[in-house]
Amino acid sequence: MNLLTAAFTFSLLLFSMQHGLVKTLSLNQNAKNLTKPKLPALLAFGDSIFDPGNNNDLQTMTKSDFFPYGMDFVTHRPTGRFCNGKIPTDFIASKLGIKDLLPAYLGTNLSNEDLITGVSFASGGTGFDPITSQLAAAIPMTRQLELFKEYREKVKGILGEERATELFSESAYIIVAGSDDLSSLYFSSSLRSSHYDFSSYADFILHAASRFIQELLQLGARKIGIVGIPPIGCVPSQRTLQGGFDRGCASDQNQVAQIYNSRLVKEVEKIKKSNQNITLVYIDSYGFLLDMIEQPTKYGFEVSYNGCCGTGLLEASFLCNPMTLTVCEDVSRYVFWDSFHPTEKAYSMLVDYLYENYIHYLVS
């Protein structure tokens, strides 16, 4: 090989290496862009649908930190999530590119990174009605706000006042409550039903939900999603308790849920008009979940009237425990994990729908 040929070969090799390096850096940058969080943090409030373990250390019967809960979780261990695996907030945090799992604020040793990327304050058994949380010995919604204030101070200590304020305004806040107000209080006792008819009780919990939203706004939240009440009368336990001999959907519960939801839509619009530079989204889970229950095969399920745990008729929380005689052989066939909460598979499908139709507006 002469000198000229060697020089040409070396130049070609150098060009190829540089081009390959640039391409690799470009691919890495693209990968980085693809995984860049859409929002800095996710903060969740509400009931067992969003509770990843805040109830674990409470003196309450509303717990799920034991098998068979968590049998399909990434660690195959119970965490306090009321599901066989992940819950909606985990899927939402992942879709937002924040992290794969949203941790509980209480009872966990959270790193600074965990804190600044968001936590859940939700508590199984709570509701907008303060009596609901008292009956379940759960964390009231008002207390969840106090915990959020405590959390804010911790984040300020990590990031400083200015950066923390920016994080609070750019993060997503998502709220789910109301189901337990109907199933565990209004239709299970006379504490409220003797004083409120369907319409006035829907207004009662609506006003509480509205106050909660407005307090979050006062604390710096600017991107809030609030989930309406699902067709609570069609979950297995309510079919058993309120659905008559044929275990049909408990129509009264669904009626109150629909009254509340329709008024919540209007309340959301009212709050938006009186507050500038906020994104407030009503998230409608009712129709999609009802369709999943009524037409399970459409979504790849076979069973929607019973849960997977035990008989599937009443078992939930402490009744779905290690002593439960049976757990279904194939959980993927079931819409519901226990008699009240959907399976990880059903949650995944539900969040896909809710993200595409509602939650993605929080990103803009």
Side-chain angles (χ1 to χ4, degrees):
M1 181 183 294
N2 60 37
L3 187 60
L4 184 61
T5 302
F8 175 78
T9 302
F10 177 77
S11 298
L12 184 62
L13 179 61
L14 183 62
F15 173 80
S16 298
M17 290 174 64
Q18 289 174 332
H19 180 70
L21 179 60
V22 169
K23 186 176 181 181
T24 300
L25 289 172
S26 176
L27 288 172
N28 287 341
Q29 187 61 45
N30 286 339
K32 213 176 267 189
N33 290 338
L34 286 172
T35 58
K36 183 180 178 181
K38 296 179 176 68
L39 295 173
L42 174 65
L43 288 309
F45 305 84
D47 56 30
S48 58
I49 305 301
F50 283 179
D51 183 359
N54 284 305
N55 276 20
N56 290 356
D57 294 328
L58 299 184
Q59 296 298 314
T60 176
M61 299 290 283
T62 312
K63 291 188 178 187
S64 58
D65 55 342
F66 40 75
F67 286 111
Y69 287 99
M71 59 180 278
D72 299 309
F73 192 64
V74 288
T75 59
H76 299 289
R77 297 177 62 84
T79 61
R81 288 168 170 82
F82 291 80
C83 188
N84 62 303
K86 294 181 181 179
I87 57 176
T89 42
D90 298 319
F91 290 114
I92 295 169
S94 180
K95 281 185 171 295
L96 291 172
I98 297 171
K99 50 190 174 184
D100 290 332
L101 303 171
L102 193 72
Y105 178 65
L106 298 179
T108 49
N109 294 318
L110 299 174
S111 67
N112 287 351
E113 180 67 17
D114 270 331
L115 283 170
I116 65 175
T117 51
V119 296
S120 173
F121 303 94
S123 173
T126 201
F128 286 120
D129 189 325
I131 294 181
T132 304
S133 59
Q134 291 174 22
L135 290 176
I139 304 169
M141 297 297 286
T142 51
R143 174 58 181 158
Q144 290 183 34
L145 279 175
E146 293 301 315
L147 291 174
F148 173 60
K149 292 176 184 178
E150 177 185 291
Y151 163 85
R152 288 170 80 248
E153 295 306 310
K154 289 181 180 180
V155 173
K156 287 178 184 178
I158 298 169
L159 298 178
E161 184 85 27
E162 185 176 343
R163 286 181 61 201
T165 300
E166 183 179 353
L167 180 140
F168 299 139
S169 67
E170 293 181 355
S171 297
Y173 299 73
I174 190 162
I175 309 157
V176 62
S179 294
D180 289 296
D181 293 322
L182 302 188
S183 63
S184 301
L185 175 58
Y186 188 81
F187 288 99
S188 298
S189 76
S190 60
L191 291 172
R192 291 298 192 195
S193 58
S194 60
H195 298 89
Y196 296 87
D197 61 16
F198 289 2
S199 180
S200 59
Y201 191 66
D203 275 341
F204 180 88
I205 56 177
L206 175 69
H207 293 152
S210 179
R211 286 195 302 271
F212 190 91
I213 292 170
Q214 294 185 65
E215 288 195 50
L216 273 182
L217 291 172
Q218 291 172 9
L219 291 169
R222 290 296 176 267
K223 301 173 185 288
I224 303 173
I226 181 163
V227 185
I229 298 176
I232 188 66
C234 295
V235 306
S237 63
Q238 301 314 299
R239 286 177 178 276
T240 301
L241 294 171
Q242 307 280 345
F245 182 75
D246 62 352
R247 295 186 68 244
C249 291
S251 59
D252 287 351
Q253 295 196 23
N254 286 351
Q255 184 181 342
V256 180
Q258 289 174 304
I259 294 171
Y260 167 81
N261 290 344
S262 64
R263 294 176 185 175
L264 180 58
V265 172
K266 295 175 183 177
E267 186 66 17
V268 163
E269 290 305 312
K270 179 182 173 183
I271 295 172
K272 284 164 67 174
K273 286 179 181 178
S274 60
N275 291 271
Q276 295 183 340
N277 302 318
I278 70 165
T279 301
L280 179 58
V281 179
Y282 167 72
I283 301 171
D284 182 10
S285 65
Y286 191 100
F288 185 86
L289 189 53
L290 181 61
D291 193 52
M292 188 182 287
I293 293 168
E294 292 181 337
Q295 303 186 77
T297 56
K298 177 179 171 182
Y299 300 90
F301 298 105
E302 297 176 28
V303 184
S304 62
Y305 286 18
N306 297 347
C308 170
C309 185
T311 65
L313 302 177
L314 276 173
E315 294 90 342
S317 187
F318 66 93
L319 293 177
C320 175
N321 58 58
M323 300 302 291
T324 299
L325 296 179
T326 59
V327 174
C328 66
E329 291 185 7
D330 185 1
V331 68
S332 69
R333 296 171 52 239
Y334 285 71
V335 172
F336 288 95
W337 160 245
D338 59 21
S339 71
F340 200 84
H341 305 94
T343 59
E344 179 184 71
K345 178 182 173 182
Y347 274 146
S348 178
M349 291 182 178
L350 178 62
V351 170
D352 283 347
Y353 170 81
L354 296 181
Y355 188 90
E356 181 180 344
N357 289 277
Y358 305 102
I359 297 172
H360 78 274
Y361 289 112
L362 297 177
V363 177
S364 59

